[in-house]
Amino acid sequence: AKSFDGFKNRILSKITAMTVVQFINKFVFNRNINNLKVNIA
């Protein structure tokens, strides 16, 4: 990022993307959003 606004927008976009992924996992696929690694046994 060349300026503070660019840095701020980059961080905001990363947080937004993570929140959207968690929302989709929780309400669409009904998965636990707290587990980053999934063990398939």
Side-chain angles (χ1 to χ4, degrees):
K2 296 179 181 178
S3 65
F4 180 72
D5 284 337
F7 176 74
K8 183 177 65 173
N9 288 335
R10 183 175 292 179
I11 297 298
L12 188 62
S13 66
K14 289 181 186 294
I15 293 173
T16 304
M18 186 62 133
T19 304
V20 168
V21 167
Q22 286 182 346
F23 179 83
I24 291 172
N25 279 334
K26 178 65 177 171
F27 294 106
V28 176
F29 297 119
N30 199 17
R31 296 177 183 161
N32 190 358
I33 62 172
N34 292 327
N35 291 340
L36 294 178
K37 294 182 180 178
V38 177
N39 292 328
I40 300 174

